[in-house]
Amino acid sequence: MTEARPRERRGDPDRTGPHPLAQYIQRLVQRVRAFDRRRPLVWDLLLTGFYVITALVDGAGHGWRNVALEPGVPQPLVIAMSLGFSLPLLCRRHHPMAVLAFMSAVGVVNSASGAMLQAALLQLIVLFSIALRLPLKTLGAAGAMMSLPLVVAAIRFPEDSWDAQIVPYFWAYSLVALLGIAVRSRQDYTRALVERARQLEVERDQQARLATAAERTRIAREMHDIIGHNLSVITGLADGGSYAAAKSPERAAQALEAIGTTSRQALSELRRLLDVLSDEAPATAELAPQPALSDLDQLIDGVRAAGLPVRSTVRGTPESVPTGRQLTVYRVIQEALTNTLKHGGPDATAAVDVAYAPDGVTVDVTDTGAPSTRTRTGTGSGIGRGLTGMRERTSLYDGTLEAGPLPRPPGGWRVHLHLPIPPPLPPAKDNQTP
């Protein structure tokens, strides 16, 4: 049994795609148009020269007498009319109506003399330029100018019927005008497509830049949270370890061990983030879940180990909180405690209060550090990304964030967060009939 093969022979009527001859003609037309756009004057000179030679050959010879209604027209007048029909083509691109008016005047002389030169048909080339470039309302005036020589010929030589003299020219005028309108519509459509493609490219580039900026912001936020928090913990552990080294070597050893653990954890998280950014082997990047509310105890324990007393209170359960909102709550608490470690002073204490409800999560992080002894991120000089990052994370979920000093006494700092939780979607109804 032989295997059926697709037909690929040249000339096969079932083959798909354009015919080679059509492709060749299309490429040839594109080359001519490209040459016309690059060298319009050269093209006009070539076209005008061709028709001037053709008109002079017909006028200087005796061929025009075969169709003339008056063969005795003087030869110089015939040559002058031939040049009058062909030479103005050089200006047809920029002044088509003026050229057509001049050629119509020559056509009146042509019809009145009875020469009836075939070069009068060159008016159709000018008509094509008018239909291609000028407003459509000018076609009426052009038709009136081209009809004047026909009326003169019908009056001067009435032996032929009006139908035989006017109807063929009317059909030629209509076909050329329709051809110019069709080409013009095609060009307008092509320009619209090109402009639309350009706009799509601009929009694509803008979307890419916006996505890049958003990704940079997200990465900067993550690196700030990871590095800032862990370095603050390491600083607190190092200060406590240096203080305990003289009195309690065991506590100093514990502090060093905690510093090593925290450093390795920070390095691991940073390496994971950089692996995502790397272009080399992205599929092999180490994957790990983002911090969630279940990791709050570990976060608070690390802060306590750094020397900051933290009291935590949790009301409710976090099962109904989506993953993205859990990360936001975790990062806000982390940033608030990090700020307390850095700016709260040696005697500061902190309290974390988390309340879960069906409609949202509420977080209050307060401390007893004196605001006058520190410069919070996002206030004062405005240097840093702590408060800005917290606000950006909160705005992603239409939440509210308030941060500021507490009234004295006792003073301190408070960060208040509320994230709404959207209601669950109703179950899909079963449309099947029993």
Side-chain angles (χ1 to χ4, degrees), residues 9 24 36 74 90 109 113 129-130 134-135 151 162 209 229 232 251 269 300 320-321 337 343 356 370 379 410-411:
R9 297 187 302 274
Y24 174 77
D36 183 36
L90 186 62
V109 178
S113 64
S129 297
I130 293 174
L134 297 185
V151 174
W162 283 70
R209 286 193 293 268
H229 172 74
S232 298
R251 295 292 300 274
E269 293 182 4
I300 294 174
S320 61
V321 183
L337 294 177
H343 309 296
Y356 302 107
T379 63

Side-chain angles (χ1 to χ4, degrees), residues 246-303:
K247 298 183 178 181
S248 178
E250 295 81 5
R251 295 292 300 274
Q254 293 175 0
L256 291 175
E257 183 179 356
I259 289 174
T261 302
T262 306
S263 301
R264 284 189 293 271
Q265 180 182 358
L267 183 61
S268 177
E269 293 182 4
L270 184 59
R271 183 181 295 113
R272 186 181 300 114
L273 183 61
L274 295 178
D275 285 343
V276 174
L277 300 177
S278 177
D279 294 334
E280 299 179 358
T284 61
E286 183 181 357
L287 301 179
Q290 290 277 20
L293 295 176
S294 57
D295 301 315
L296 281 178
D297 292 339
Q298 182 179 357
L299 171 67
I300 294 174
D301 290 340
V303 174

Side-chain angles (χ1 to χ4, degrees), residues 383-394:
I383 300 174
R385 293 193 49 87
L387 185 57
T388 302
M390 287 193 289
R391 294 192 187 280
E392 290 175 352
R393 291 182 184 275
T394 304

